[in-house]
Amino acid sequence: MKLKQILLVIVISMLSAFAGVFLYGKFARSGGGTAGMPVDGKLPANYASFFDSKGNAAEPTDFTKAAESAIPAVVHIKTKIPAKKLDNNLPNRGRTGDPFEDFFGDMFGLGPQIRPEQRASGSGVIISQDGYIVTNNHVVSDGADGVASEIKVTLNEGRKTYTAKVVGRDPSSDIAVLKVEANNLPYMIYGNVDDVKLGQWVLAVGYPFNLEATVTAGIISAKGRSIGINGQQSMSPVESFIQTDAAVNQGNSGGALINTNGQLVGINSAILAPSGTYAGYSFAIPVNIVKKVVNDIIKYGDVKRGYLGISYFDEQKTPGENERRLKQAGLQGGDGVYVLEAPDGGGAAKAGIKKGDIITKVSGTPVASGLQMSGIIASAQPGDKIKLTYLRGGKEATADITLSDKPSASKLTSSDQIADQLGVELANVEPKRAEQLRINGGGVEIKNIRPNGLLSKSRMDKGFIITAANGQRVKSIDELAKVLGSSRSSKVELEGIYPGYSGLYSYQINLDGDDDSGAF
């Protein structure tokens, strides 16, 4: 009896299964369920997939040809920075103010320190058969205002190593051009960033962690990104990054970002990495900016950058200030650039732009920050014309502006412009404190010095109080701005004191130094 029951259960189960399969097939053939299924052999017009209209799978994207063509043109760059003596006895090296500590510190070797020899590596892209190479400025920089004492370039698979010389650098965009004495080198063809689309496949090629040439794949995640990183090495940073999710790590800097045709679309430059290693997104300098900067450096030895002739809030120094001004003007979205200054004689002022105007578009492209705006203009030359869309009193207007050449620092007269040009934060010395310090009437205190700013090249340290400029007594920031603005020479002498130290200190600076002005 037990056996009969078991056999009966098995038979019923088999019949149920066959019935289910039969009914499902009949239901599917009758079109009773179309979710995810073709209808009459065709897919719906709005169906999002990698299939064609007949339901056939599309061909997979092939990366092999692009990778094979790019790898020979991407080089490994190794640099050396010699050991350097750091003198802690200088006022800008952080003396304690305690004469006993300073004296005994020097006696027991706590004064002058030695920074050991430093070695680093990165990547570069050959852009001509006669040996021109593009890389990042930070790859070849010595961390101050100079370059590494030794730069070696090794071709793929260690075929040959060359000593490279620096043709020119542009800290604003983080680009440097090198040259090696060689011929018939494999080189990469420029693409066009305007043809790059969101979601498009790209490859990152470089030498991460001192490995041999490495290729990673990802997609274009965004265009026109600004992350504020170039402000660490330039007074006038230019950022309009291509954002990708192709894996990029230390050593990839200066390497190639290419499309699936093997064309150069960007130079890998940065990652957002809280842990110090790749965390999901990398950033490349668009090839259109690269091409313009490289051509200028090779042709002129410097970058001929077009300027609007305005200044705006620096988000690193005054975070949120631009957005606050926009909200005051009734713009809640936060898109636009508040014009802080439009100096007379600049292209913007000539076209009627005034302080307080809000720039919303540059040549039809919406702008949300000053950095983004500078990135759009970065590929233009002095003399080029652009169209600005701006708001004044809530009303939209447009202006055609002819971009000017690099403004002369000696012609910048406002206190904001002077602070930005010097790369510092300034503050007036209040009368009571001035009396305590025995500086009659006041002075101008250096509250902070921006890394790689103009004054960072001097031996001046924060806390220095300027009491005279070019031999003229200055008691406030406005007075300092007037003296510097009226100077006939770009060379200026600043005199002052360090609280807690005796004596008068003097610093020679050149207002038309290598760093670009903060105006655009």
Short mmCIF file of all heavy atoms in Angstrom, two decimals, residues 331 335-337 358-362 365-368 389-391 396:
data_model
loop_
_atom_site.label_atom_id
_atom_site.label_comp_id
_atom_site.label_asym_id
_atom_site.label_seq_id
_atom_site.Cartn_x
_atom_site.Cartn_y
_atom_site.Cartn_z
N LEU A 331 18.90 84.05 -7.04
CA LEU A 331 19.18 82.79 -7.75
C LEU A 331 19.36 81.69 -6.72
O LEU A 331 20.35 81.65 -6.00
CB LEU A 331 20.45 82.92 -8.60
CG LEU A 331 20.40 83.95 -9.73
CD1 LEU A 331 21.73 83.97 -10.46
CD2 LEU A 331 19.28 83.60 -10.71
N ASP A 335 23.77 78.51 -9.68
CA ASP A 335 24.50 78.55 -10.95
C ASP A 335 24.81 79.98 -11.35
O ASP A 335 23.90 80.81 -11.44
CB ASP A 335 23.70 77.86 -12.06
CG ASP A 335 23.62 76.36 -11.85
OD1 ASP A 335 24.46 75.84 -11.11
OD2 ASP A 335 22.73 75.72 -12.43
N GLY A 336 26.07 80.25 -11.61
CA GLY A 336 26.47 81.58 -12.02
C GLY A 336 27.74 82.00 -11.30
O GLY A 336 28.14 81.39 -10.31
N VAL A 337 28.39 83.04 -11.81
CA VAL A 337 29.63 83.54 -11.23
C VAL A 337 29.47 85.02 -10.91
O VAL A 337 29.23 85.83 -11.82
CB VAL A 337 30.82 83.33 -12.19
CG1 VAL A 337 32.10 83.89 -11.57
CG2 VAL A 337 30.98 81.86 -12.54
N ILE A 358 26.21 88.96 -12.66
CA ILE A 358 26.31 87.50 -12.46
C ILE A 358 26.38 86.83 -13.82
O ILE A 358 25.43 86.88 -14.61
CB ILE A 358 25.11 86.96 -11.66
CG1 ILE A 358 25.08 87.60 -10.27
CG2 ILE A 358 25.17 85.44 -11.56
CD1 ILE A 358 23.82 87.31 -9.49
N ILE A 359 27.53 86.24 -14.11
CA ILE A 359 27.72 85.56 -15.39
C ILE A 359 27.09 84.18 -15.31
O ILE A 359 27.41 83.39 -14.42
CB ILE A 359 29.22 85.44 -15.73
CG1 ILE A 359 29.83 86.84 -15.85
CG2 ILE A 359 29.44 84.65 -17.02
CD1 ILE A 359 31.34 86.83 -15.97
N THR A 360 26.19 83.87 -16.23
CA THR A 360 25.49 82.58 -16.22
C THR A 360 25.92 81.66 -17.36
O THR A 360 25.80 80.44 -17.24
CB THR A 360 23.97 82.80 -16.32
OG1 THR A 360 23.67 83.56 -17.50
CG2 THR A 360 23.46 83.56 -15.09
N LYS A 361 26.41 82.23 -18.46
CA LYS A 361 26.83 81.40 -19.60
C LYS A 361 28.05 82.01 -20.27
O LYS A 361 28.20 83.23 -20.33
CB LYS A 361 25.71 81.27 -20.63
CG LYS A 361 24.48 80.51 -20.16
CD LYS A 361 23.42 80.46 -21.26
CE LYS A 361 22.16 79.77 -20.77
NZ LYS A 361 21.12 79.75 -21.83
N VAL A 362 28.91 81.14 -20.78
CA VAL A 362 30.05 81.56 -21.59
C VAL A 362 29.93 80.84 -22.93
O VAL A 362 29.99 79.61 -22.99
CB VAL A 362 31.39 81.21 -20.93
CG1 VAL A 362 32.54 81.59 -21.84
CG2 VAL A 362 31.52 81.93 -19.59
N THR A 365 27.46 78.04 -22.92
CA THR A 365 27.62 76.96 -21.93
C THR A 365 27.37 77.49 -20.53
O THR A 365 28.03 78.44 -20.10
CB THR A 365 29.04 76.38 -22.00
OG1 THR A 365 29.29 75.89 -23.32
CG2 THR A 365 29.20 75.24 -21.00
N PRO A 366 26.39 76.91 -19.79
CA PRO A 366 26.13 77.37 -18.42
C PRO A 366 27.35 77.20 -17.53
O PRO A 366 28.10 76.23 -17.66
CB PRO A 366 24.98 76.45 -17.97
CG PRO A 366 24.34 75.96 -19.22
CD PRO A 366 25.47 75.84 -20.21
N VAL A 367 27.57 78.15 -16.62
CA VAL A 367 28.70 78.06 -15.69
C VAL A 367 28.18 78.16 -14.26
O VAL A 367 27.27 78.93 -13.97
CB VAL A 367 29.75 79.15 -15.95
CG1 VAL A 367 30.45 78.90 -17.27
CG2 VAL A 367 29.13 80.55 -15.94
N ALA A 368 28.77 77.35 -13.38
CA ALA A 368 28.35 77.33 -11.99
C ALA A 368 29.43 77.83 -11.04
O ALA A 368 29.18 78.03 -9.87
CB ALA A 368 27.93 75.91 -11.59
N THR A 389 26.70 85.66 -21.24
CA THR A 389 25.32 85.90 -20.80
C THR A 389 25.37 86.21 -19.32
O THR A 389 25.99 85.46 -18.55
CB THR A 389 24.43 84.67 -21.06
OG1 THR A 389 24.49 84.33 -22.45
CG2 THR A 389 22.99 84.96 -20.67
N TYR A 390 24.75 87.31 -18.90
CA TYR A 390 24.84 87.71 -17.50
C TYR A 390 23.53 88.32 -17.03
O TYR A 390 22.66 88.70 -17.83
CB TYR A 390 25.99 88.69 -17.29
CG TYR A 390 25.83 90.02 -18.01
CD1 TYR A 390 25.32 91.14 -17.34
CD2 TYR A 390 26.19 90.17 -19.34
CE1 TYR A 390 25.18 92.36 -17.99
CE2 TYR A 390 26.05 91.38 -20.00
CZ TYR A 390 25.54 92.48 -19.32
OH TYR A 390 25.38 93.67 -19.97
N LEU A 391 23.40 88.40 -15.71
CA LEU A 391 22.23 89.00 -15.07
C LEU A 391 22.65 90.28 -14.36
O LEU A 391 23.69 90.33 -13.69
CB LEU A 391 21.61 88.03 -14.06
CG LEU A 391 21.05 86.71 -14.60
CD1 LEU A 391 20.57 85.84 -13.44
CD2 LEU A 391 19.90 86.97 -15.57
N GLU A 396 18.31 89.55 -17.83
CA GLU A 396 19.37 88.89 -18.59
C GLU A 396 19.84 89.75 -19.75
O GLU A 396 19.05 90.43 -20.41
CB GLU A 396 18.86 87.54 -19.13
CG GLU A 396 19.94 86.71 -19.79
CD GLU A 396 19.45 85.33 -20.20
OE1 GLU A 396 18.90 85.21 -21.32
OE2 GLU A 396 19.59 84.39 -19.40
#
